[in-house]
Short mmCIF file of all heavy atoms in Angstrom, two decimals:
data_model
loop_
_atom_site.label_atom_id
_atom_site.label_comp_id
_atom_site.label_asym_id
_atom_site.label_seq_id
_atom_site.Cartn_x
_atom_site.Cartn_y
_atom_site.Cartn_z
N GLN A 237 107.99 -74.10 -68.50
CA GLN A 237 108.34 -75.36 -67.83
C GLN A 237 108.11 -75.25 -66.33
O GLN A 237 108.38 -74.20 -65.74
CB GLN A 237 109.81 -75.70 -68.11
CG GLN A 237 110.09 -75.99 -69.57
CD GLN A 237 109.22 -77.12 -70.10
OE1 GLN A 237 109.11 -78.16 -69.48
NE2 GLN A 237 108.54 -76.89 -71.23
N PRO A 238 107.62 -76.32 -65.70
CA PRO A 238 107.31 -76.24 -64.27
C PRO A 238 108.54 -76.29 -63.36
O PRO A 238 108.45 -75.89 -62.20
CB PRO A 238 106.43 -77.47 -64.02
CG PRO A 238 106.79 -78.43 -65.10
CD PRO A 238 107.22 -77.61 -66.28
N GLU A 239 109.70 -76.71 -63.89
CA GLU A 239 110.83 -76.98 -62.99
C GLU A 239 111.26 -75.77 -62.17
O GLU A 239 111.41 -75.85 -60.95
CB GLU A 239 112.04 -77.53 -63.78
CG GLU A 239 111.89 -78.97 -64.24
CD GLU A 239 110.98 -79.11 -65.46
OE1 GLU A 239 110.70 -78.07 -66.11
OE2 GLU A 239 110.54 -80.23 -65.76
N LEU A 240 111.46 -74.63 -62.86
CA LEU A 240 111.96 -73.46 -62.14
C LEU A 240 110.97 -73.03 -61.07
O LEU A 240 111.34 -72.76 -59.92
CB LEU A 240 112.24 -72.31 -63.11
CG LEU A 240 112.76 -71.03 -62.42
CD1 LEU A 240 114.09 -71.27 -61.73
CD2 LEU A 240 112.91 -69.88 -63.42
N TYR A 241 109.68 -72.97 -61.44
CA TYR A 241 108.66 -72.57 -60.46
C TYR A 241 108.64 -73.53 -59.28
O TYR A 241 108.56 -73.11 -58.13
CB TYR A 241 107.28 -72.52 -61.12
CG TYR A 241 107.20 -71.48 -62.20
CD1 TYR A 241 106.98 -71.83 -63.53
CD2 TYR A 241 107.38 -70.14 -61.90
CE1 TYR A 241 106.95 -70.87 -64.52
CE2 TYR A 241 107.34 -69.17 -62.89
CZ TYR A 241 107.12 -69.55 -64.20
OH TYR A 241 107.09 -68.60 -65.17
N THR A 242 108.71 -74.82 -59.58
CA THR A 242 108.71 -75.82 -58.51
C THR A 242 109.88 -75.59 -57.57
O THR A 242 109.71 -75.54 -56.34
CB THR A 242 108.81 -77.24 -59.11
OG1 THR A 242 107.80 -77.39 -60.10
CG2 THR A 242 108.62 -78.29 -58.05
N GLU A 243 111.06 -75.39 -58.15
CA GLU A 243 112.24 -75.23 -57.30
C GLU A 243 112.17 -73.97 -56.45
O GLU A 243 112.55 -73.98 -55.29
CB GLU A 243 113.51 -75.24 -58.15
CG GLU A 243 113.82 -76.58 -58.81
CD GLU A 243 113.89 -77.74 -57.81
OE1 GLU A 243 114.28 -77.50 -56.65
OE2 GLU A 243 113.54 -78.87 -58.19
N ILE A 244 111.70 -72.88 -57.06
CA ILE A 244 111.60 -71.63 -56.30
C ILE A 244 110.64 -71.81 -55.13
O ILE A 244 110.90 -71.39 -54.00
CB ILE A 244 111.15 -70.47 -57.21
CG1 ILE A 244 112.28 -70.07 -58.17
CG2 ILE A 244 110.71 -69.26 -56.38
CD1 ILE A 244 111.90 -69.01 -59.17
N ILE A 245 109.51 -72.47 -55.38
CA ILE A 245 108.50 -72.64 -54.34
C ILE A 245 108.96 -73.64 -53.27
O ILE A 245 108.73 -73.44 -52.09
CB ILE A 245 107.16 -73.07 -54.97
CG1 ILE A 245 106.56 -71.88 -55.76
CG2 ILE A 245 106.17 -73.55 -53.91
CD1 ILE A 245 105.43 -72.25 -56.70
N PHE A 246 109.63 -74.70 -53.69
CA PHE A 246 110.03 -75.75 -52.75
C PHE A 246 111.35 -75.44 -52.04
O PHE A 246 111.72 -76.13 -51.10
CB PHE A 246 110.17 -77.11 -53.47
CG PHE A 246 108.86 -77.83 -53.67
CD1 PHE A 246 107.93 -77.37 -54.58
CD2 PHE A 246 108.55 -78.97 -52.93
CE1 PHE A 246 106.72 -78.03 -54.77
CE2 PHE A 246 107.34 -79.63 -53.12
CZ PHE A 246 106.43 -79.16 -54.04
N SER A 247 112.07 -74.41 -52.50
CA SER A 247 113.43 -74.22 -52.01
C SER A 247 113.48 -73.66 -50.59
O SER A 247 114.53 -73.67 -49.97
CB SER A 247 114.20 -73.29 -52.94
OG SER A 247 113.64 -72.00 -52.88
N ASN A 248 112.39 -73.13 -50.12
CA ASN A 248 112.46 -72.43 -48.84
C ASN A 248 111.18 -72.67 -48.05
O ASN A 248 110.19 -71.97 -48.21
CB ASN A 248 112.65 -70.94 -49.13
CG ASN A 248 113.28 -70.25 -47.95
OD1 ASN A 248 113.15 -70.71 -46.81
ND2 ASN A 248 113.97 -69.16 -48.19
N LYS A 249 111.24 -73.67 -47.19
CA LYS A 249 110.03 -74.08 -46.47
C LYS A 249 109.55 -73.03 -45.45
O LYS A 249 108.42 -73.09 -44.98
CB LYS A 249 110.25 -75.42 -45.77
CG LYS A 249 110.43 -76.59 -46.75
CD LYS A 249 109.15 -76.85 -47.55
CE LYS A 249 109.22 -78.15 -48.34
NZ LYS A 249 110.36 -78.22 -49.27
#
Side-chain angles (χ1 to χ4, degrees):
Chain A
Q237 295 303 312
E239 286 77 15
L240 179 62
Y241 297 116
T242 308
E243 292 305 329
I244 288 176
I245 290 166
F246 278 71
S247 66
N248 204 334
K249 293 294 190 303

